[in-house]
PDB file of all heavy atoms in Angstrom:
ATOM      1  N   ASN X 682     214.034 261.971-112.829  1.00 94.00           N
ATOM      2  CA  ASN X 682     214.653 260.656-112.552  1.00 94.00           C
ATOM      3  C   ASN X 682     214.136 260.094-111.232  1.00 94.00           C
ATOM      4  O   ASN X 682     214.847 260.072-110.231  1.00 94.00           O
ATOM      5  CB  ASN X 682     216.183 260.812-112.464  1.00 94.00           C
ATOM      6  CG  ASN X 682     216.784 261.408-113.718  1.00 94.00           C
ATOM      7  OD1 ASN X 682     217.026 260.703-114.682  1.00 94.00           O
ATOM      8  ND2 ASN X 682     217.001 262.721-113.716  1.00 94.00           N
ATOM      9  N   PRO X 683     212.880 259.633-111.225  1.00 92.00           N
ATOM     10  CA  PRO X 683     212.286 259.196-109.957  1.00 92.00           C
ATOM     11  C   PRO X 683     213.024 258.032-109.296  1.00 92.00           C
ATOM     12  O   PRO X 683     212.856 257.803-108.106  1.00 92.00           O
ATOM     13  CB  PRO X 683     210.867 258.781-110.344  1.00 92.00           C
ATOM     14  CG  PRO X 683     210.746 258.927-111.803  1.00 92.00           C
ATOM     15  CD  PRO X 683     211.953 259.551-112.364  1.00 92.00           C
ATOM     16  N   GLN X 684     213.861 257.333-110.057  1.00 91.00           N
ATOM     17  CA  GLN X 684     214.590 256.197-109.475  1.00 91.00           C
ATOM     18  C   GLN X 684     215.800 256.653-108.662  1.00 91.00           C
ATOM     19  O   GLN X 684     216.402 255.865-107.928  1.00 91.00           O
ATOM     20  CB  GLN X 684     215.015 255.212-110.577  1.00 91.00           C
ATOM     21  CG  GLN X 684     216.279 255.571-111.359  1.00 91.00           C
ATOM     22  CD  GLN X 684     216.086 256.704-112.390  1.00 91.00           C
ATOM     23  OE1 GLN X 684     215.086 257.407-112.408  1.00 91.00           O
ATOM     24  NE2 GLN X 684     217.085 256.900-113.229  1.00 91.00           N
ATOM     25  N   LEU X 685     216.173 257.914-108.765  1.00 93.00           N
ATOM     26  CA  LEU X 685     217.366 258.421-108.059  1.00 93.00           C
ATOM     27  C   LEU X 685     217.015 258.976-106.695  1.00 93.00           C
ATOM     28  O   LEU X 685     215.893 259.408-106.461  1.00 93.00           O
ATOM     29  CB  LEU X 685     218.013 259.561-108.843  1.00 93.00           C
ATOM     30  CG  LEU X 685     218.522 259.315-110.250  1.00 93.00           C
ATOM     31  CD1 LEU X 685     219.167 260.578-110.771  1.00 93.00           C
ATOM     32  CD2 LEU X 685     219.518 258.175-110.244  1.00 93.00           C
ATOM     33  N   ASN X 686     218.017 258.992-105.810  1.00 94.00           N
ATOM     34  CA  ASN X 686     217.885 259.742-104.570  1.00 94.00           C
ATOM     35  C   ASN X 686     218.687 261.024-104.734  1.00 94.00           C
ATOM     36  O   ASN X 686     219.900 260.973-104.901  1.00 94.00           O
ATOM     37  CB  ASN X 686     218.437 258.936-103.396  1.00 94.00           C
ATOM     38  CG  ASN X 686     217.504 257.808-103.041  1.00 94.00           C
ATOM     39  OD1 ASN X 686     216.298 258.019-102.925  1.00 94.00           O
ATOM     40  ND2 ASN X 686     218.039 256.614-102.891  1.00 94.00           N
ATOM     41  N   VAL X 687     217.997 262.139-104.696  1.00 96.00           N
ATOM     42  CA  VAL X 687     218.665 263.415-104.921  1.00 96.00           C
ATOM     43  C   VAL X 687     218.669 264.212-103.618  1.00 96.00           C
ATOM     44  O   VAL X 687     217.624 264.365-102.975  1.00 96.00           O
ATOM     45  CB  VAL X 687     217.966 264.236-106.033  1.00 96.00           C
ATOM     46  CG1 VAL X 687     218.762 265.494-106.333  1.00 96.00           C
ATOM     47  CG2 VAL X 687     217.802 263.404-107.303  1.00 96.00           C
ATOM     48  N   TYR X 688     219.848 264.700-103.248  1.00 96.00           N
ATOM     49  CA  TYR X 688     219.996 265.494-102.030  1.00 96.00           C
ATOM     50  C   TYR X 688     220.332 266.925-102.427  1.00 96.00           C
ATOM     51  O   TYR X 688     221.124 267.147-103.345  1.00 96.00           O
ATOM     52  CB  TYR X 688     221.124 264.928-101.156  1.00 96.00           C
ATOM     53  CG  TYR X 688     220.889 263.507-100.705  1.00 96.00           C
ATOM     54  CD1 TYR X 688     221.095 262.437-101.575  1.00 96.00           C
ATOM     55  CD2 TYR X 688     220.432 263.238 -99.420  1.00 96.00           C
ATOM     56  CE1 TYR X 688     220.856 261.130-101.162  1.00 96.00           C
ATOM     57  CE2 TYR X 688     220.200 261.926 -99.011  1.00 96.00           C
ATOM     58  CZ  TYR X 688     220.414 260.877 -99.889  1.00 96.00           C
ATOM     59  OH  TYR X 688     220.177 259.594 -99.477  1.00 96.00           O
ATOM     60  N   GLY X 689     219.744 267.881-101.725  1.00 96.00           N
ATOM     61  CA  GLY X 689     220.073 269.290-101.968  1.00 96.00           C
ATOM     62  C   GLY X 689     220.576 269.875-100.667  1.00 96.00           C
ATOM     63  O   GLY X 689     219.900 269.786 -99.643  1.00 96.00           O
ATOM     64  N   SER X 690     221.776 270.440-100.693  1.00 95.00           N
ATOM     65  CA  SER X 690     222.299 271.006 -99.449  1.00 95.00           C
ATOM     66  C   SER X 690     222.510 272.506 -99.603  1.00 95.00           C
ATOM     67  O   SER X 690     222.726 273.015-100.706  1.00 95.00           O
ATOM     68  CB  SER X 690     223.622 270.335 -99.074  1.00 95.00           C
ATOM     69  OG  SER X 690     224.631 270.751 -99.955  1.00 95.00           O
ATOM     70  N   ASP X 691     222.401 273.208 -98.495  1.00 95.00           N
ATOM     71  CA  ASP X 691     222.725 274.629 -98.495  1.00 95.00           C
ATOM     72  C   ASP X 691     223.166 275.034 -97.089  1.00 95.00           C
ATOM     73  O   ASP X 691     222.688 274.474 -96.094  1.00 95.00           O
ATOM     74  CB  ASP X 691     221.526 275.479 -98.938  1.00 95.00           C
ATOM     75  CG  ASP X 691     221.974 276.753 -99.647  1.00 95.00           C
ATOM     76  OD1 ASP X 691     222.578 277.624 -98.968  1.00 95.00           O
ATOM     77  OD2 ASP X 691     221.765 276.871-100.863  1.00 95.00           O
ATOM     78  N   TYR X 692     224.052 275.995 -97.059  1.00 93.00           N
ATOM     79  CA  TYR X 692     224.525 276.551 -95.803  1.00 93.00           C
ATOM     80  C   TYR X 692     223.456 277.458 -95.194  1.00 93.00           C
ATOM     81  O   TYR X 692     223.298 277.544 -93.988  1.00 93.00           O
ATOM     82  CB  TYR X 692     225.807 277.338 -96.097  1.00 93.00           C
ATOM     83  CG  TYR X 692     226.418 278.024 -94.917  1.00 93.00           C
ATOM     84  CD1 TYR X 692     226.932 277.283 -93.858  1.00 93.00           C
ATOM     85  CD2 TYR X 692     226.512 279.412 -94.869  1.00 93.00           C
ATOM     86  CE1 TYR X 692     227.503 277.907 -92.767  1.00 93.00           C
ATOM     87  CE2 TYR X 692     227.090 280.046 -93.785  1.00 93.00           C
ATOM     88  CZ  TYR X 692     227.582 279.293 -92.740  1.00 93.00           C
ATOM     89  OH  TYR X 692     228.133 279.901 -91.666  1.00 93.00           O
ATOM     90  N   SER X 693     222.688 278.102 -96.083  1.00 95.00           N
ATOM     91  CA  SER X 693     221.691 279.079 -95.648  1.00 95.00           C
ATOM     92  C   SER X 693     220.358 278.407 -95.312  1.00 95.00           C
ATOM     93  O   SER X 693     219.721 277.793 -96.174  1.00 95.00           O
ATOM     94  CB  SER X 693     221.492 280.105 -96.769  1.00 95.00           C
ATOM     95  OG  SER X 693     220.229 280.700 -96.671  1.00 95.00           O
ATOM     96  N   LEU X 694     219.946 278.575 -94.039  1.00 96.00           N
ATOM     97  CA  LEU X 694     218.647 278.012 -93.647  1.00 96.00           C
ATOM     98  C   LEU X 694     217.508 278.697 -94.376  1.00 96.00           C
ATOM     99  O   LEU X 694     216.494 278.083 -94.707  1.00 96.00           O
ATOM    100  CB  LEU X 694     218.451 278.169 -92.129  1.00 96.00           C
ATOM    101  CG  LEU X 694     219.203 277.171 -91.252  1.00 96.00           C
ATOM    102  CD1 LEU X 694     219.063 277.544 -89.786  1.00 96.00           C
ATOM    103  CD2 LEU X 694     218.696 275.753 -91.485  1.00 96.00           C
ATOM    104  N   ASN X 695     217.697 279.983 -94.646  1.00 96.00           N
ATOM    105  CA  ASN X 695     216.674 280.721 -95.387  1.00 96.00           C
ATOM    106  C   ASN X 695     216.474 280.144 -96.775  1.00 96.00           C
ATOM    107  O   ASN X 695     215.345 280.003 -97.254  1.00 96.00           O
ATOM    108  CB  ASN X 695     217.072 282.199 -95.509  1.00 96.00           C
ATOM    109  CG  ASN X 695     216.654 282.967 -94.283  1.00 96.00           C
ATOM    110  OD1 ASN X 695     215.676 282.598 -93.625  1.00 96.00           O
ATOM    111  ND2 ASN X 695     217.391 284.020 -93.956  1.00 96.00           N
ATOM    112  N   ALA X 696     217.579 279.817 -97.432  1.00 97.00           N
ATOM    113  CA  ALA X 696     217.482 279.222 -98.774  1.00 97.00           C
ATOM    114  C   ALA X 696     216.775 277.867 -98.685  1.00 97.00           C
ATOM    115  O   ALA X 696     215.924 277.535 -99.516  1.00 97.00           O
ATOM    116  CB  ALA X 696     218.864 279.058 -99.385  1.00 97.00           C
ATOM    117  N   LEU X 697     217.108 277.100 -97.641  1.00 97.00           N
ATOM    118  CA  LEU X 697     216.490 275.770 -97.520  1.00 97.00           C
ATOM    119  C   LEU X 697     214.974 275.872 -97.347  1.00 97.00           C
ATOM    120  O   LEU X 697     214.235 275.001 -97.806  1.00 97.00           O
ATOM    121  CB  LEU X 697     217.103 275.015 -96.334  1.00 97.00           C
ATOM    122  CG  LEU X 697     218.520 274.484 -96.562  1.00 97.00           C
ATOM    123  CD1 LEU X 697     219.083 273.890 -95.280  1.00 97.00           C
ATOM    124  CD2 LEU X 697     218.564 273.446 -97.678  1.00 97.00           C
ATOM    125  N   LYS X 698     214.527 276.955 -96.701  1.00 98.00           N
ATOM    126  CA  LYS X 698     213.074 277.120 -96.543  1.00 98.00           C
ATOM    127  C   LYS X 698     212.420 277.300 -97.916  1.00 98.00           C
ATOM    128  O   LYS X 698     211.337 276.777 -98.176  1.00 98.00           O
ATOM    129  CB  LYS X 698     212.778 278.329 -95.652  1.00 98.00           C
ATOM    130  CG  LYS X 698     213.055 278.029 -94.189  1.00 98.00           C
ATOM    131  CD  LYS X 698     212.769 279.228 -93.306  1.00 98.00           C
ATOM    132  CE  LYS X 698     213.320 278.992 -91.913  1.00 98.00           C
ATOM    133  NZ  LYS X 698     213.597 280.230 -91.177  1.00 98.00           N
ATOM    134  N   VAL X 699     213.088 278.042 -98.790  1.00 98.00           N
ATOM    135  CA  VAL X 699     212.547 278.233-100.140  1.00 98.00           C
ATOM    136  C   VAL X 699     212.571 276.909-100.909  1.00 98.00           C
ATOM    137  O   VAL X 699     211.591 276.528-101.557  1.00 98.00           O
ATOM    138  CB  VAL X 699     213.345 279.321-100.904  1.00 98.00           C
ATOM    139  CG1 VAL X 699     212.864 279.440-102.341  1.00 98.00           C
ATOM    140  CG2 VAL X 699     213.218 280.664-100.197  1.00 98.00           C
ATOM    141  N   ALA X 700     213.694 276.195-100.804  1.00 98.00           N
ATOM    142  CA  ALA X 700     213.792 274.898-101.504  1.00 98.00           C
ATOM    143  C   ALA X 700     212.697 273.952-101.018  1.00 98.00           C
ATOM    144  O   ALA X 700     212.130 273.178-101.798  1.00 98.00           O
ATOM    145  CB  ALA X 700     215.172 274.288-101.282  1.00 98.00           C
ATOM    146  N   ASP X 701     212.380 274.038 -99.733  1.00 98.00           N
ATOM    147  CA  ASP X 701     211.356 273.164 -99.177  1.00 98.00           C
ATOM    148  C   ASP X 701     209.971 273.501 -99.739  1.00 98.00           C
ATOM    149  O   ASP X 701     209.160 272.609 -99.999  1.00 98.00           O
ATOM    150  CB  ASP X 701     211.371 273.286 -97.649  1.00 98.00           C
ATOM    151  CG  ASP X 701     210.688 272.095 -97.010  1.00 98.00           C
ATOM    152  OD1 ASP X 701     210.828 270.982 -97.546  1.00 98.00           O
ATOM    153  OD2 ASP X 701     209.991 272.280 -95.991  1.00 98.00           O
TER     154      ASP X 701
END
Side-chain angles (χ1 to χ4, degrees):
N682 303 277
Q684 81 285 13
L685 300 183
N686 287 313
V687 185
Y688 299 77
S690 72
D691 211 293
Y692 178 65
S693 156
L694 282 173
N695 275 332
L697 286 174
K698 285 180 192 156
V699 175
D701 199 36

